[in-house]
């Protein structure tokens, strides 16, 4: 992995150093309408590279992570005469880094990218690992490419103003990484409160550094996502099904909440199939219940949830449901094929644990 | 480099073996309207994988190497439920392999590709080296990505029906490779006739194998095209300028012809600047003149041609013109910065040699 990860709350200095080292003739900054308003003025004051850059703005939200926004970026780069030697600094959450990364890797076969994630979810997940993309024809991330950014500047200073729900959503991915790493990391995260009364930015930066290191280790071993990288899918097979059902009910849920709940179901399945220890399962489930509440569903929803899982693009064949499970904290078992009856039992246990 | 190159005139067998080895659940075939008519029926009879495949057809010609055709392919893949594990077989010239490769690398972050080039230019150039892309906003290959196909099945059996102009156009890229390789390769090519009275398919397959090996060696050393790969740009800086001027005059010239003429000018510059031997220059120039004729222009066209070269995207800065030149056959010198007065002298000499 060649991506440089810089953990600092002096973001402007870090960006200027990176741009100077890269020797780029010109710099572009990609923002969405939110980061244009709240973050860009701060960065412009802190960084010469940002102040001198050509700014490209796209609409915010996952609904705008589409071909229209991508064409807006391509056209802006074209009109400004951008070259392969230039740099794009993507300032925003996962939508901005995903679409900006995709625009960059496809413009003249590859401009260089610096990511400045402004959300916890972006910091822990979207800006590291080289996955870029857009939604297409109603499917999430249907188009995209693998491409590593030159660097990501990861900070916690922009998180002060984030809604509590968004912080918790990002924290769920950190919990997932800790489950894949070790009991010590999991305990450290469960001791820390990301929302109450106010988070400790320096301590969070340290936890983030360790969490991102887990992701990096896994991505490094399997950049093109053909094998062991699927460990990062922990909690996502069930989580995506919860999201899809919630979307159909017209009451969407935050991605991170779905992941947290999905991790609980994955640990239940891990207990049933691989002997994952029940005390750890209960401690984790209780932490998630306290902080994230629970997903409400009945046994009438099981067939639909299972159908969503079948369609999950991570499955090579539509006829098997492969999960990432854990034999213990830090011991992922990818491609564990699970029977429908086990999934139904896990749903029963989840609903029993959460009284839903 | 992981791309498998298979030189054979038993194309169907090679494709079936590759698909079986790859273990792809499903196979797609991309053709344009020409290869749909002339090549697909032959391949369908020879190959079970092709016969069983879902066929996607795009319009032919460089003018259709655009976002509309790309969206057609993305939508067809989406509607057919294609997955990352599936394979696309691109059957056609450079347009089909360029756009098919780009569609594949961007669909679900990367399907696998087998290229079956059906033109000499495609065989020698477009299907090897991992450059994919489309034209955008009037610029050639403005959007694209680097991505290696799984394999290319290179044959000469489809060339029988190609127009002579198209064979010569592809042969020009082979001449370019020979200039980059060795005096022996250059002599072998100049002894062979690709068009008269009828080409020897087996001998051409052998020459092709050696020519592609040159390209592979250079690409391997610099996959992302940041340095030594620019050797492959030999003849293209001037060639692109000739193409642009011809286009403006509404009498477009084949790309390969422009490259052949561009190589002659590059050798003249190489002689002026790097002492490239004049006997080799004259032998080569005479071979090109006999087979390709010459580009007709006057000294009034010099400023415009030089301006086109300045705009060439291979230049990091708009203020210098960097050429790939040769100190001898097989000895490329990339990024040789040349003064305007040298270019004008080279044009004078070229026009004098060709009596234009």
């Amino acid at each position: 992995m060649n991506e440089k990860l810089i953990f600092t709350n002096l973001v402007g200095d870090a960006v200027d150093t990176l741009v100077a080292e890269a020797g780029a003739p010109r710099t572009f900054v990609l923002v969405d309408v939110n980061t244009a308003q709240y973050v860009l003025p701060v960065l412009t004051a802190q960084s010469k590279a940002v102040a001198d850059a050509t700014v490209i703005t796209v609409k915010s939200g996952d609904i705008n992570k589409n071909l229209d926004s991508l064409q807006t970026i391509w056209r802006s780069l074209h009109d400004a005469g951008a070259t392969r030697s230039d740099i794009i600094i993507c300032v925003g959450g996962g939508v901005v880094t995903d679409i900006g990364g995709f625009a960059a890797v496809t413009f003249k076969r590859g401009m260089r990218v610096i990511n400045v994630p402004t959300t916890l979810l972006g910091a822990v997940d979207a800006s590291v690992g080289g996955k870029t993309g857009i939604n297409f024809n109603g499917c999430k991330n249907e188009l995209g490419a693998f491409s590593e950014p030159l660097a990501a500047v990861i900070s916690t200073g922009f998180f002060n103003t984030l809604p509590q729900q968004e912080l918790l959503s990002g924290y769920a991915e950190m919990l997932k990484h800790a489950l894949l790493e070790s009991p010590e990391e999991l305990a450290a995260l469960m001791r820390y409160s990301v929302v109450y009364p106010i988070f400790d930015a320096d301590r969070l930066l340290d936890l983030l550094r360790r969490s991102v290191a887990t992701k990096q280790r896994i991505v490094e071993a399997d950049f093109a996502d053909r094998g062991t990288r699927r460990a990062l899918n922990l909690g996502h097979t069930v989580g995506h099904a919860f999201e899809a059902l919630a979307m159909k009910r017209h009451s969407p849920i935050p991605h991170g909440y779905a992941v947290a709940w999905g991790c609980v179901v994955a640990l239940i399945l891990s207990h049933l199939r691989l002997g994952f220890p029940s005390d750890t399962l209960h401690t984790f489930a209780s932490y998630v219940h306290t902080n994230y509440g629970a997903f409400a569903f009945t046994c009438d929803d099981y067939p639909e949830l299972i159908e969503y899982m079948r369609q999950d693009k991570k499955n090579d064949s539509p006829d098997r449901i492969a999960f990432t499970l854990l034999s213990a904290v830090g011991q992922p078992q990818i491609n564990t094929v699970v029977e429908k009856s086990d999934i139904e039992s896990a749903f029963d246990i989840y609903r029993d644990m959460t009284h839903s």
Side-chain angles (χ1 to χ4, degrees), chain A residues 78-120:
Chain A
H78 172 88
D79 292 346
T83 75
R84 294 189 67 211
S85 305
D86 296 335
I87 280 188
I88 306 184
I89 305 171
C90 300
V91 179
V95 170
V96 171
T97 53
D98 279 6
I99 196 168
F102 191 38
V105 68
T106 52
F107 189 79
K108 298 200 174 179
R109 302 201 188 98
M111 299 174 69
R112 292 172 294 174
V113 171
I114 296 173
N115 281 330
V116 180
T118 59
T119 65
L120 181 54

Side-chain angles (χ1 to χ4, degrees), chain A residues 130-190:
Chain A
K131 285 193 178 179
T132 71
I134 60 170
N135 307 326
F136 180 72
N137 262 18
C139 280
K140 280 178 76 77
N141 299 319
E142 182 82 343
L143 305 178
F146 285 98
S147 174
E148 274 203 320
L150 184 67
V153 180
I154 294 173
S155 62
T156 53
F158 301 122
F159 301 167
N160 294 307
T161 55
L162 291 179
Q164 169 169 333
Q165 208 183 54
E166 205 152 316
L167 281 169
L168 278 167
S169 207
Y171 207 65
E173 294 283 351
M174 293 175 66
L175 290 168
K176 182 196 76 176
H177 290 164
L179 284 170
L180 294 170
E181 185 66 38
S182 69
E184 293 70 30
E185 288 303 312
L186 186 62
L189 286 194
M190 293 204 299

Side-chain angles (χ1 to χ4, degrees), chain A residues 210-232:
Chain A
R210 287 149 58 180
S211 189
V212 169
T214 298
K215 176 163 185 186
Q216 253 198 312
R217 175 176 59 76
I218 293 170
V219 168
E220 213 153 56
D222 176 30
F223 187 66
D225 198 7
R226 298 273 173 203
T228 52
R229 184 164 173 167
R230 294 187 186 182
L232 293 170

Side-chain angles (χ1 to χ4, degrees), chain A residues 268-287:
Chain A
I268 297 169
L269 278 171
S270 298
H271 175 66
L272 295 177
R273 291 290 311 273
L274 306 172
F276 184 90
S278 73
D279 56 339
T280 314
L281 161 60
H282 281 95
T283 312
F284 183 79
S286 149
Y287 179 88

